Every structure is written in structure tokens, then in C-alpha cells.
Amino acid sequence: MQRRQLLRTSGQALAAAAGAGALSACTIRRAENGGSSSLPQVRWRMATSWPVSLDTIYGGAETICEQVKAMSGGGFTIEPFAAGEIVPGLEVLDAVQAGSVECGHTASYYYVGKNPAFAFGTAVPFGLTAQQQNAWLYQGGGNEAMDALFADFGAKSFPAGNTGGQLGGWFKRPVDNLASLKGLKMRIPGLGGKVMANLGVNVQVLPGGEIYLALERGAIDAAEFTGPYDDEKLGLPKAAKYYYYPGWWEPGPSLTALVNRTAWDKLPKEYQAMFSTACYQANLGMLSKYEQRNSEALLRLRRQGIKLEAYSNDILEAAKEATSVLFADLAADDASFRDLLERWRLFQKETLNWNRINELPLAKFNTRAEGGEG
């Protein structure tokens, strides 16, 4: 479909400039009206997929709300709600679509059951790093493509967070080879979950707040969430001792802010620009926080005796092959997935060719020089 074709220039990349313009417009209006803004008072609610205890990922939602309030001088306020307070964590899109809330903060791959192409809005197995993902969303036409997909569900989408490269999950017992995965019950969403299912894993999809109890009580044998900082907060190291890497299914996953399109269309243009800018800030700010906090948390976990293990080559090779088969099957069944996959693959190829020259050689040298130890 024409509206789903990727554009080469992203409107989202201009969010910061638009926000600055909005602030100037608001200042002018206040001056013209004796210091009071002519913009209306707007009150929204934001449902999220996160528990409050995960301060960095839930903090992305809080950042949006705080920045919108600050930029509007209190004229536009949004109240965030944790998973379960309004709707369960995996039903944010449904609430936004229905208009039960005006906006939400979630991960688009939670909704691959509605459209498999939603996976590209978060992460796909063996996909893009965080920086590559942002480049694709803001400059490669990715967000225009996602926004077109969400339009079918009455929502607009904005990149609004990134956890950075994730680790490969917590296991109650070692998974030394491909055969070790057979029959395991594991919490893992998105297309990564579908790949694991093809490798013999019994896949479960649970919101973050429910993972610890399921793992601790034996309802599941393994689980992944984000990385050391959030996993530590969820208590996962208390329920399983084997921590695997790399997180091949989520090398740089984005989070998404969704807005009901009817509510969006009613917003003054200044408020729209403020919301876009706040999402941009939440996206970049969250990634920076995770980069620091995950490195510190990993050191703490290693000092506690957590067994940090690498996935075996046979698991990685089988997962890579299963990913290729899954992509081919989804592309054959869904035209929107096929179109998006072709364009996404072209972007990945081009950016990998660049990163092989500008980043990887130095990263490999630095890793060898430092010995890879903290």
C-alpha cells in the first residue's frame, strides 16, 4: 500500500526543532495576552506496560509527561499509570485504540498477534543496535512505516525509549547446547519468542511485573526482560542463577508512545510539537541511562556469584536459521511485513557496511586491550 511505503526523510527527526518553535509560539501568545496563554487546558491519561518499580523504563513515560507539562506551562498535562492500574501491561494499544486513554507507553512487538510487522517498531532477532535502530526510525523512514501500521488501529506512534542491547535471559539450569532448550518454559515476547518456539521452547508472554513470581515458583524455567539493571530490580537473580548473553533477539529495542488519533487531531499544533519533542527526549535519555546503569548492575551481579554464560554457537546458528525461515514465512503471508522487511534489510545492509569500517575495528581492539573484564 502506498501509505505504508517508507519515506527517506523522517518528520520525527525534526521533533526537537518543532518543539523549540512551539515554545516560542507559546511565549509570544502569553506576551500578547498579558502573560496568559491562549492555548486550552488539556488533560490526558497515559497507560503503560511497566511497573513503577522499573524506574528507567517507566521513567520514559514520566519524562514525556514532565516535559509536556513544563513546555506548556501547565496547560497540557498527562498523568502516567503503571501496568494494571487502568489496563494490563499487554493491552495498552487496545486502550489507546478504544479511547479509554488518550495515549500509552509500550513496546510495539507486544502486538505482533495483531500485525507481525509491529515487531520492527521494537526489535527483531539479529537486527539493529540501538544507534542503528534510532537511525532507521528517524532517518530511514522506519517511524513513518510504523505510524502507518498503527493507523489501522486508530493510533499514532512515536519512538519514546530504548533499553540498549539486552542480555539473553535467566535460566534455572544451564543450556549448554541446542538440545538443552527442548521443552523449556521461557518468558520471551515478540519474534524472538517465535524463534525460540521453533527451537523447541515452550514460550510464555508475561508483563514485567509478573516475571519474578512465575520464575521463582517454577511456572517458567527461564525468562528475559531487558538487562542487568531492570532484571535486578525485578528480582530475577534471586530466582535463577544462569545469565546468558548475547540477547540476539533484541540488540537495540525501541519503546513506543501511542496516541489515539482522534485525541491527537484535537490537540493544538503547539501541543503536538511539545509531545513529539518530549518523546524524542525520552528516547535518547533512556538509552543513556541504561548504558550507565546496566554496566554498574552487571558488576554487582558478577560479584554476587551469578554465572554469566555465552550462548553456544549451535544455539546461535540455529536461531539465525530459524529467524530466516520465520521472516520468509511471515513475508509470504503478509504483504505489509514483506514490504517492510525488504526495506529494513536494505537499511541494515547499508549501515552494517558503514559500521564495519567506522566502529567495529576500534571496538574489537578496545575489547582486546581491556581484556573484556570489569
Side-chain angles (χ1 to χ4, degrees):
M1 297 174 64
Q2 181 66 31
R3 69 184 182 84
R4 287 181 176 164
Q5 291 181 350
L6 295 177
L7 304 177
R8 279 294 176 185
T9 301
S10 172
Q12 285 295 317
L14 302 177
L23 287 175
S24 299
C26 288
T27 301
I28 293 170
R29 288 192 178 196
R30 289 191 182 98
E32 291 175 344
N33 290 277
S36 63
S37 174
S38 62
L39 293 171
Q41 292 286 316
V42 175
R43 301 287 181 267
W44 277 12
R45 298 191 302 167
M46 173 183 281
T48 78
S49 294
W50 331 114
V52 176
S53 60
L54 298 181
D55 59 329
T56 309
I57 198 166
Y58 184 77
E62 291 180 315
T63 294
I64 296 170
C65 300
E66 291 164 0
Q67 292 304 307
V68 162
K69 181 179 180 180
M71 285 188 282
S72 68
F76 181 17
T77 60
I78 305 172
E79 184 177 3
F81 291 86
E85 289 188 320
I86 297 179
V87 294
L90 302 182
E91 296 179 15
V92 172
L93 173 57
D94 303 86
V96 172
Q97 181 181 9
S100 303
V101 295
E102 291 82 7
C103 59
H105 194 262
T106 187
S108 64
Y109 73 172
Y110 288 158
Y111 313 105
V112 293
K114 299 177 183 292
N115 188 323
F118 279 148
F120 291 102
T122 304
V124 298
F126 302 96
L128 304 175
T129 66
Q131 176 59 22
Q132 293 166 352
Q133 178 78 356
N134 277 334
W136 178 67
L137 288 169
Y138 289 126
Q139 295 295 326
N143 193 56
E144 286 85 357
M146 300 312 302
D147 196 48
L149 295 178
F150 277 111
D152 290 341
F153 298 86
K156 286 188 63 65
S157 68
F158 302 84
N162 194 302
T163 68
Q166 297 189 2
L167 293 194
W170 297 87
F171 292 77
K172 285 181 169 291
R173 61 180 186 269
V175 285
D176 298 324
N177 49 47
L178 185 59
S180 304
L181 295 176
K182 303 294 184 182
L184 278 179
K185 299 189 293 291
M186 182 178 184
R187 183 271 181 192
I188 174 172
L191 296 190
K194 293 184 181 297
V195 171
M196 277 294 202
N198 288 338
L199 299 183
V201 173
N202 183 352
V203 169
Q204 311 289 318
V205 179
L206 301 171
E210 298 179 16
I211 299 174
Y212 169 74
L213 283 179
L215 189 60
E216 193 273 335
R217 294 176 179 177
I220 56 177
D221 306 305
E224 63 80 43
F225 189 62
T226 58
Y229 183 74
D230 280 350
D231 293 357
E232 184 181 37
K233 280 186 167 292
L234 288 177
L236 303 188
K238 300 175 183 177
K241 295 301 180 184
Y242 296 91
Y243 201 15
Y244 276 79
Y245 67 93
W248 47 265
W249 50 83
E250 295 185 28
S254 297
L255 304 176
T256 300
L258 299 176
V259 179
N260 177 277
R261 282 186 174 262
T262 299
W264 178 259
D265 290 341
K266 292 179 181 178
L267 275 185
K269 297 297 183 183
E270 294 90 340
Y271 286 173
Q272 290 180 351
M274 293 174 194
F275 188 91
S276 298
T277 302
C279 290
Y280 191 90
Q281 181 170 344
N283 187 33
L284 300 184
M286 183 188 295
L287 179 58
S288 299
K289 290 177 182 177
Y290 270 120
E291 189 70 13
Q292 178 188 16
R293 294 174 180 181
N294 277 327
S295 62
E296 295 171 346
L298 184 61
L299 286 176
R300 288 195 299 270
L301 293 176
R302 295 182 73 171
R303 289 168 184 153
Q304 295 167 18
I306 292 300
K307 298 183 184 299
L308 191 62
E309 304 283 353
Y311 278 118
S312 63
N313 284 336
D314 69 328
I315 289 178
L316 292 176
E317 290 168 359
K320 178 68 171 174
E321 177 61 27
T323 297
S324 297
V325 172
L326 175 63
F327 283 177
D329 290 343
L330 291 173
D333 293 338
D334 188 279
S336 63
F337 186 93
R338 180 171 62 252
D339 179 66
L340 196 47
L341 176 63
E342 291 173 356
R343 297 169 185 271
W344 179 90
R345 275 178 167 164
L346 177 60
F347 178 88
Q348 184 188 38
K349 179 180 179 180
E350 291 173 347
T351 196
L352 284 177
N353 285 336
W354 165 234
N355 290 162
R356 286 190 185 101
I357 302 301
N358 80 317
E359 288 189 358
L360 291 182
L362 183 58
K364 289 179 180 178
F365 176 83
N366 285 341
T367 300
R368 288 196 303 269
E370 294 298 325
E373 295 293 329

